[in-house]
Amino acid sequence: MSTHHNPPTPPTPPRWPISAILRNLLLFFLLSSIGLGFLLRWLPPPTSGVMLYRHAEDLLAHGLFHTIDYRWVSSDEIAPAAYLAAVAGEDQQFFRHGGFDINSIQSSLAVYSHGGKLRGASTISQQVAKNLFLTPSKNVIRKGLEVWFTLVLELLWDKERILEVYLNIAEFGDHLFGIEAASQHYFGIPAKKLSRPQAALLAATLPNPFKLKAAKPSGYLVKRQQWILRQMQNLGTLH
């Protein structure tokens, strides 16, 4: 009489619960984003999220790769007027807030709650977070990521670095990024030689450089330029 022995059952590989996987992914994201933020505190960004997004648009729409004009320059190669114009036009509380202009947000929500149009209240810090790490798309997830990256920048960078990166990666036209590329393209001069009116004109286009064209200023754009010049005069200095 023969005896049959069943083969031993192989050990069951350990299974990670979904919660543990998500927790590890979140931890990896947090640590890697902090590490990236720390590196970019010192190194010029080779590209940005918005630049990569423009490349993706080109490939999907036309199947072609279009060169982006992006020229990094250090802070001492940018005219003081450009810094002042950016703050005057985009975020006059820049040196006073911790990344978020609470008063502006509350004001915007109050207008919206009374039937008005919801106005943008993004600070320069938020715009750097969005332009550097994210894309122009608008959804709740992206807004949450923008808040996180804004906190990272405010924690790891000083205000001068945030402003320097802002001017270097801001979109000033079609495939045109940074104050140096914009200065050369529109005025044929380096960013270091920008005059106050020229700096104000470039800053005036920042809300929408595709609609507000520095090469062909509309009446509205000229009025906005003049308003920024007055704000620059009122501010006097940045600190």
Side-chain angles (χ1 to χ4, degrees):
M1 181 176 179
S2 61
T3 303
H4 297 282
H5 297 282
N6 293 327
T9 303
T12 303
R15 294 182 178 179
W16 283 22
I18 296 298
S19 59
I21 295 175
L22 293 176
R23 186 168 58 249
N24 288 331
L25 287 174
L26 177 60
L27 181 61
F28 173 77
F29 167 75
L30 295 178
L31 292 177
S32 60
S33 58
I34 291 173
L36 184 59
F38 182 79
L39 287 175
L40 293 177
R41 168 65 179 87
W42 310 105
L43 301 176
T47 186
S48 72
V50 174
M51 292 182 211
L52 295 175
Y53 181 84
R54 296 299 178 217
H55 282 314
E57 280 186 326
D58 294 337
L59 292 173
L60 290 174
H62 310 291
L64 298 173
F65 177 87
H66 293 285
T67 302
I68 282 177
D69 191 353
Y70 165 55
R71 315 177 196 184
W72 175 271
V73 287
S74 60
S75 58
D76 58 354
E77 295 178 285
I78 301 174
Y83 290 107
L84 187 58
V87 172
E90 292 292 298
D91 184 4
Q92 295 188 17
Q93 300 301 314
F94 175 66
F95 287 95
R96 298 184 182 91
H97 61 63
F100 307 94
D101 189 342
I102 304 301
N103 291 333
S104 181
I105 293 172
Q106 291 175 339
S107 175
S108 179
L109 291 175
V111 171
Y112 181 70
S113 66
H114 288 84
K117 185 178 179 181
L118 187 63
R119 296 178 288 113
S122 291
T123 64
I124 285 177
S125 301
Q126 288 176 267
Q127 292 181 55
V128 172
K130 176 188 69 176
N131 294 340
L132 185 58
F133 298 109
L134 305 170
T135 70
S137 60
K138 296 181 179 180
N139 54 64
V140 174
I141 295 176
R142 200 228 67 184
K143 197 65 180 178
L145 291 172
E146 179 186 312
V147 170
W148 164 249
F149 280 113
T150 299
L151 293 173
V152 169
L153 297 185
E154 286 284 342
L155 176 66
L156 298 178
W157 299 8
D158 56 29
K159 290 290 189 177
E160 287 74 15
R161 177 61 174 180
I162 293 174
L163 196 54
E164 177 188 26
V165 173
Y166 174 71
L167 285 174
N168 267 289
I169 66 171
E171 191 169 22
F172 286 98
D174 187 20
H175 292 71
L176 188 66
F177 287 83
I179 192 73
E180 178 68 17
S183 299
Q184 296 284 358
H185 180 81
Y186 294 119
F187 308 119
I189 59 173
K192 192 172 184 176
K193 294 185 177 180
L194 281 170
S195 66
R196 289 170 73 95
Q198 290 169 333
L201 180 63
L202 292 180
T205 69
L206 286 174
N208 189 339
F210 295 96
K211 182 178 180 181
L212 304 173
K213 300 179 182 296
K216 297 180 179 179
S218 63
Y220 170 80
L221 182 58
V222 172
K223 288 181 181 178
R224 180 167 166 78
Q225 175 199 28
Q226 296 304 312
W227 178 83
I228 291 175
L229 283 169
R230 290 194 297 273
Q231 298 306 306
M232 292 168 68
Q233 184 68 31
N234 292 337
L235 287 174
T237 60
L238 288 181
H239 297 282

